[in-house]
Amino acid sequence: MLFIQGNFIEKKSEVSLGIFFYRMSLYQQLETAISKILDTYSETINLFNLNGLYHLMGNVSWGKGQIHSAIAFQDKAKSALEMCKAHHVEECGFHADKIESRYALYLFNVGLYKLYLWELEDADSQFEESIQFSSRTSNESRALKAECFQAFVKAAMGAEDEALCLAKSSFDKIILGNYGSIIHVGFYLWILGRAFRLLGRHSDSIKAFDKSSLDAFYEENSQAKARLLYGLAELDLDKREFEAAVVKCKEAVSLLCSIGAKSDLAEAYFHLGNAQKAAGANAEASNAYNSAISLFEEMNAPRQISRVKEKLNFTL
């Protein structure tokens, strides 16, 4: 699957290898493959492709719940881009526009990881910077992705007017614009569904989740399916359909346990605890909350731990 040409690993090979493993949630296989490439060809890899490999390693670490390692890999990806600029763009084989677009991606990824740590202010700042950088490139989808996630962060922070403006604008761009073919567009719509739900816009939330579920990515990726399930479970709770929420969260936990996706598994346990508490199953809810806390402790995510303990204290 890999084709080495002098000091250049073909972008097609990097993408095909990485996306295949990532789509299938095969994190260990992806990590092993990229580590082997870096160990064997670290001195000859094109800087732009080196950036791509570190980007993939960051996402692998994020998926496995190793958030701080993920941020460190993204910082290495950023350094590769800076070296690319320093050695003249043409020598790296790519135009400045592509380098700026990759920098916007770096900012988005760090924002995403900060969100999973529940460091909302930092996440908001990273998404805002990503939007600004994206506006200077030809890759409009970079800004759109950051806008979708910033909408959720703003809603979680209580900035409802800003959140609603971002959410409605982003949703309209996806539905009315030419964004249907974007890879992982379901991920954008999933977070918009959660943002609309926080804002009390349940009909819009359902529309976003429905559109999200149509993304072919959900046919291949267990982690994406699990995210959609615990997102829909939040809506079930709002509708007081407690047992339906419990069923969805348990399915999400099962899917995530099977692939070792600890970042979302911790979140799924948190939502399972919420659903079980609402259903009056306080002992089971406490177990779920404690499972979430244990995972968040592994992730070194103190704000997430505080978020869960606040719910747990009302359950005991």
Side-chain angles (χ1 to χ4, degrees):
M1 298 180 73
L2 292 173
F3 303 94
I4 310 300
Q5 295 184 348
N7 69 340
F8 180 69
I9 296 181
E10 285 190 17
K11 186 168 183 280
K12 179 180 178 182
S13 304
E14 171 200 319
V15 170
S16 63
L17 178 70
I19 288 182
F20 170 75
F21 285 145
Y22 186 73
R23 278 180 175 272
M24 300 302 291
S25 302
L26 300 174
Y27 294 124
Q28 189 58 55
Q29 291 89 331
L30 178 54
E31 184 176 32
T32 299
I34 295 176
S35 295
K36 185 174 181 180
I37 294 168
L38 292 171
D39 290 344
T40 307
Y41 303 105
S42 60
E43 298 301 319
T44 58
I45 296 176
N46 175 285
L47 286 169
F48 194 80
N49 289 289
L50 184 63
N51 163 268
L53 292 170
Y54 281 134
H55 157 70
L56 285 171
M57 286 292 277
N59 279 345
V60 169
S61 295
W62 158 57
K64 292 169 64 179
Q66 299 164 356
I67 307 293
H68 295 282
S69 292
I71 294 171
F73 275 120
Q74 292 299 336
D75 286 340
K76 288 184 177 181
K78 175 187 174 185
S79 295
L81 283 182
E82 290 171 342
M83 286 190 289
C84 202
K85 280 186 176 181
H87 289 84
H88 304 295
V89 173
E90 292 76 12
E91 292 179 17
C92 297
F94 293 90
H95 298 296
D97 182 74
K98 288 186 178 292
I99 292 178
E100 292 295 308
S101 180
R102 281 284 181 90
Y103 190 73
L105 178 60
Y106 154 76
L107 291 166
F108 170 81
N109 285 333
V110 174
L112 179 63
Y113 305 159
K114 292 289 186 177
L115 171 56
Y116 270 75
L117 294 172
W118 211 244
E119 296 176 4
L120 299 179
E121 296 84 358
D122 288 346
D124 182 43
S125 176
Q126 292 291 136
F127 291 142
E128 182 61 35
E129 273 199 83
S130 182
I131 292 166
Q132 295 305 317
F133 263 88
S134 298
S135 68
R136 302 204 292 264
T137 75
S138 59
N139 191 337
E140 296 178 3
S141 67
R142 291 273 193 260
L144 177 60
K145 178 161 59 174
E147 288 168 3
C148 292
F149 278 81
Q150 190 178 39
F152 175 80
V153 168
K154 294 282 190 189
M157 293 170 65
E160 294 187 359
D161 291 343
E162 291 178 84
L164 183 58
C165 182
L166 280 165
K168 290 175 67 176
S169 172
S170 301
F171 187 71
D172 287 346
K173 286 178 185 177
I174 293 171
I175 301 305
L176 303 176
N178 188 28
Y179 293 100
S181 62
I182 295 175
I183 294 176
H184 304 171
V185 70
F187 192 33
Y188 303 15
L189 288 161
W190 165 75
I191 201 66
L192 284 178
R194 297 191 70 202
F196 280 128
R197 179 255 163 190
L198 281 176
L199 295 167
R201 310 270 298 202
H202 291 95
S203 61
D204 290 329
S205 179
I206 292 168
K207 287 178 186 176
F209 283 136
D210 284 347
K211 293 287 185 182
S212 177
S213 67
L214 297 176
D215 186 354
F217 191 46
Y218 287 90
E219 297 300 317
E220 306 167 321
N221 190 287
S222 297
Q223 193 167 2
K225 291 178 186 176
R227 288 185 191 125
L228 184 59
L229 284 165
Y230 71 67
L232 289 169
E234 290 181 296
L235 281 178
D236 286 339
L237 286 184
D238 291 344
K239 294 184 291 183
R240 302 186 65 79
E241 296 176 1
F242 304 139
E243 292 303 324
V246 170
V247 169
K248 288 184 178 69
C249 288
K250 283 185 175 180
E251 186 178 351
V253 165
S254 178
L255 285 168
L256 294 164
C257 281
S258 70
I259 58 174
K262 291 185 178 180
S263 55
D264 279 294
L265 179 57
E267 191 73 14
Y269 271 125
F270 172 67
H271 291 293
L272 176 59
N274 291 341
Q276 289 172 327
K277 184 177 77 168
N282 286 349
E284 291 88 342
S286 293
N287 289 336
Y289 286 141
N290 283 320
S291 293
I293 289 170
S294 178
L295 287 166
F296 283 134
E297 285 175 343
E298 284 186 43
M299 292 163 57
N300 189 18
R303 291 198 184 182
Q304 287 282 31
I305 294 167
S306 296
R307 178 182 173 222
V308 181
K309 283 185 174 180
E310 184 177 342
K311 293 283 188 177
L312 178 60
N313 289 339
F314 282 106
T315 304
L316 297 176

